[in-house]
Amino acid sequence: MKYDAVIIGGGPAGLNAAQLLGRARRNVLLCDTGKPRNAASHAMHGFLSRDGFDPSELRRIGRSELEKYGIDIRDHGAVRISGSLDRFTVILDSGEKVEARRLLLAFGMKDQLPEIEGLRELWGRGVFPCPYCDGWEVKDEPLAALGNGAKALTFAFLMFKWSRNLILCTNGSSEIDAQGQGALRAYGIEIKETPLKKIEAADGAVHLVFIDGTVLKKRALFFHSPGIPSSDLAHQLGCKMSEGGAVAVNAMCQTSIPGVYATGDLAHPDGLPFPPASVIVAAGQGAIAGRAIDRELLLADFEASQRTA
Ligand SMILES: Cc1cc2nc3c(=O)[nH]c(=O)nc-3n(C[C@H](O)[C@H](O)[C@H](O)COP(=O)(O)OP(=O)(O)OC[C@H]3O[C@@H](n4cnc5c(N)ncnc54)[C@H](O)[C@@H]3O)c2cc1C
């Protein structure tokens, strides 16, 4: 059977697109490797009516809702794509080949974490990527931001809104220019250049252990990672990428390749300064992609019927 659409990735973006397309009576297959970006997090924020909700529970419910719409689900990854508009072939890591008229890339981004002992283990539990997601819970507490250069400067000023008790760890010589350093001083944000040796958790705090033996106890450490695509499938297809490394899409989630859509964290919509990494936005973009795919198929079928009439 040729599917109307194959959705690659079953996070909030792929799941919402699948629900919308299923309700629009489309034949859809969704494949998913089950490793979402926020896998380490137990409480999700910034989602209307789901504040503090376990994100794995959101995915479980989202999946179960697909049953009644007849969506085919495979717990396998897509490893290869070939073909073009109306004739795509997707090969799964099980060896199964599926055919589709349209493709939706919803496989998200993976974070690139610095190689500091303990950081990966504390990701999402003491070390956080985003103050909008996890800043409120530690507001006004002693916090640290990790990063260097111009982006870290902006990030430190962002973090300052959540706590004025803030230190910026550059993990090596500061690459922040003199003007930036002056601005940080004016805000009372200290810069610590000593490289970090490791990060440990104890007594509800993170202990930042530096190579000179000093230890700073902070309530949380924030590190912003823009991430890279979780799979090379968009590159395989030749999709145009944005400067930040996401898949460039228009407002309807269309990529530069006809018939291929991208959504969620993976997609960078034209006109936005950066891809908005958030569960509710990913789900909303999934709905936009679903509508766009359904509309394109409808128009294609109508045009075909006119040619044969
Ligand atoms: C620690 C942490 C905490 C966060 N907290 C919040 C928060 O509180 N609130 C908030 O709004 N956002 C939060 N986020 C951001 C949030 O995780 C993302 O915005 C959201 O998960 C994006 O959804 P998505 O569907 O685009 O991608 P994902 O949720 O990452 O889902 C992508 C899916 O695609 C699958 N996949 C990958 N490759 C393939 C392949 N080749 N074939 C098939 N499937 C594949 C993956 O396994 C995964 O299941 C947090 C992120 C992190 C890292």
Side-chain angles (χ1 to χ4, degrees):
M1 173 177 68
K2 185 185 279 182
Y3 287 97
D4 289 321
V6 166
I7 300 175
I8 302 172
L15 288 171
N16 219 31
Q19 188 186 108
L20 193 134
L21 284 164
R23 288 176 55 81
R25 314 193 70 181
R26 294 290 179 191
N27 296 326
V28 174
L29 180 136
L30 179 142
C31 63
D32 182 42
T33 48
K35 291 181 186 149
R37 191 172 195 177
N38 57 356
S41 168
H42 288 309
M44 164 185 101
H45 301 283
F47 196 127
L48 177 80
S49 83
R50 294 292 178 272
D51 196 29
F53 210 67
D54 186 336
S56 66
E57 185 60 4
L58 183 89
R59 287 188 296 274
R60 189 193 63 73
I61 295 170
R63 254 195 184 221
S64 69
E65 286 173 350
L66 296 182
E67 278 169 29
K68 65 174 174 248
Y69 303 118
I71 306 295
D72 285 343
I73 297 184
R74 302 284 188 274
D75 288 316
H76 285 282
V79 288
R80 186 131 203 96
I81 298 173
S82 57
S84 56
L85 185 71
D86 281 329
R87 291 182 203 86
F88 292 106
T89 301
V90 180
I91 301 179
L92 305 184
D93 58 20
S94 58
E96 185 181 5
K97 273 187 193 177
V98 288
E99 299 195 334
R101 297 178 66 192
R102 298 292 181 274
L103 292 180
L104 177 57
L105 311 181
F107 46 76
M109 303 287 270
K110 57 182 175 195
D111 292 301
Q112 290 181 295
L113 304 180
E115 289 301 327
I116 299 171
E117 188 184 327
L119 189 145
R120 193 168 292 276
E121 290 74 12
L122 292 174
W123 188 237
R125 299 145 197 244
V127 182
F128 301 104
C130 164
Y132 292 98
C133 298
D134 292 293
W136 173 265
E137 285 64 34
V138 294
K139 64 184 185 311
D140 298 327
E141 302 259 11
L143 301 180
L146 173 62
N148 209 342
K151 285 193 176 154
L153 180 67
T154 317
F155 191 56
F157 288 131
L158 175 70
M159 289 300 314
F160 189 74
K161 257 174 351 86
W162 278 273
S163 177
R164 291 174 176 226
N165 187 342
L166 179 67
I167 186 168
L168 174 62
C169 301
T170 53
N171 198 29
S173 300
S174 168
E175 291 157 16
I176 296 168
D177 63 21
Q179 191 187 7
Q181 295 198 24
L184 286 170
R185 268 196 303 277
Y187 272 70
I189 302 172
E190 188 192 332
I191 303 180
K192 189 158 179 72
E193 296 181 287
T194 315
L196 275 154
K197 184 169 179 234
K198 60 180 172 178
I199 303 169
E200 295 169 336
D203 313 323
V206 287
H207 294 194
L208 309 180
V209 183
F210 296 87
I211 56 164
D212 62 3
T214 52
V215 179
L216 287 179
K217 291 182 190 172
K218 299 289 170 187
R219 181 70 170 79
L221 172 70
F222 282 80
F223 167 75
H224 175 65
S225 147
I228 56 168
S230 293
S231 152
D232 71 349
L233 289 171
H235 290 98
Q236 269 184 35
L237 283 160
C239 293
K240 185 178 166 213
M241 308 301 281
S242 72
E243 248 178 53
V247 178
V249 295
N250 65 14
M252 297 304 279
C253 299
Q254 287 172 305
T255 71
S256 58
I257 305 294
V260 179
Y261 291 71
T263 191
D265 277 15
L266 176 69
H268 187 164
D270 191 26
L272 291 187
F274 46 80
S278 128
V279 175
I280 199 164
V281 175
Q285 276 194 331
I288 292 175
R291 283 287 288 268
I293 290 171
D294 185 53
R295 184 171 179 274
E296 195 184 273
L297 289 171
L298 198 70
L299 291 174
D301 290 344
F302 178 73
E303 279 165 18
S305 72
Q306 294 300 294
R307 279 196 297 274
T308 53

